[in-house]
Structure formats: C-alpha cells, structure tokens
Amino acid sequence: MKLSHIGIAVKNLNEASNVFSKLFNINHIPIEEVTEQKVRVGFCHVGDSSVELTEATSADSPIAKYIEKRGEGVHHLSFEVENLEEELRRLKSEGFQLIDEEPRVGAGGYLIAFIHPKSTNGVLVELSQKIG
Ligand code: ZN
C-alpha cells in the first residue's frame, strides 16, 4: 500500500485551485467531473502523491453533506493497492466496516472503495486501484 492522495473537501473548486496552485507553485490543476459521485475534483500532484480538491456538484452529494456538518478541510486519505477486490475481502474478514463492498469508478482512472471511519479511528480511508 502507498499513499495515493489526500482528499480535501472545498466549497468552491476554482477558488481552492487558485490557493493550492500558489501553495504548491504549480501552473495547472486538471479538473475532472465524476458524475457518479456528484463531485468535481482537481488534482495537485505533489511529489509521489497528490492532493485532491473535491467540490460537490449537487446538494445531495456526500461532499456537500460533509461540508454542511464539518466545514471544509481534510476529507479522506487514499491508499493505492494492487488488487482492490482482494484487499476489500481481507479488510472485511479483519472486521473493518466497508462503505463500499465492491469497487466503484472514481476520478483519474481509478477504481475506489471507502472504509467507514468508525473502523479507522475517525479517519475516512479510501482504497484505490489504477484501471488498466
Ligand atoms: Zn480520493
């Protein structure tokens, strides 16, 4: 497992992209819409990992609900694995509570699945596997 990215929930992706491009001194933050999850995301590549800025595109998006409850900020940590299905089976057998029992399509050409923060000391953990 390796750290893939840190997900940050933001109210306004364009404004946040401005801030983070200055912070990391990068010119361009590619933006992608993930309709399945009702979000728009911007990826800031920093060294071997990334910061993923995530904005809700709909009031019933999980990100909108998160910001409503807890405000903007760090939303999840994402770790890349080689075989997501196998890893989900392993974690389930270890007693972790999975939000996604099956991998689903995420941003940036990855399959993703979330583990419930109840099982991981309050931290929302995402596992990802590169497609193809
Ligand atoms: Zn993520």
Side-chain angles (χ1 to χ4, degrees), residues 29-130:
I29 295 178
I31 288 175
E32 185 184 334
E33 183 158 353
V34 186
T35 35
E36 248 186 46
Q37 292 175 54
K38 299 171 184 167
V39 293
R40 283 203 315 146
V41 299
F43 276 100
C44 317
H45 296 287
V46 187
D48 289 335
S49 53
S50 307
V51 168
E52 177 191 74
L53 305 170
T54 310
E55 171 198 71
T57 54
S58 154
D60 63 347
S61 161
I63 290 293
K65 288 175 192 155
Y66 180 88
I67 289 177
E68 204 174 287
K69 255 204 240 165
R70 300 176 67 173
E72 293 183 292
V74 173
H75 177 256
H76 65 273
L77 301 182
S78 182
F79 296 93
E80 188 174 341
V81 298
E82 284 194 356
N83 186 329
L84 184 52
E85 278 188 36
E86 202 177 283
E87 204 59 28
L88 289 175
R89 272 198 299 274
R90 183 184 73 82
L91 291 170
K92 198 176 180 183
S93 75
E94 293 276 12
F96 287 89
Q97 191 182 328
L98 306 179
I99 294 175
D100 301 301
E101 299 268 337
E102 298 293 330
R104 56 192 171 95
V105 177
Y110 280 89
L111 292 172
I112 61 163
F114 284 99
I115 302 166
H116 201 286
K118 270 183 199 161
S119 334
T120 46
N121 299 72
V123 179
L124 178 59
V125 173
E126 177 190 71
L127 298 179
S128 58
Q129 178 193 339
K130 187 105 188 135

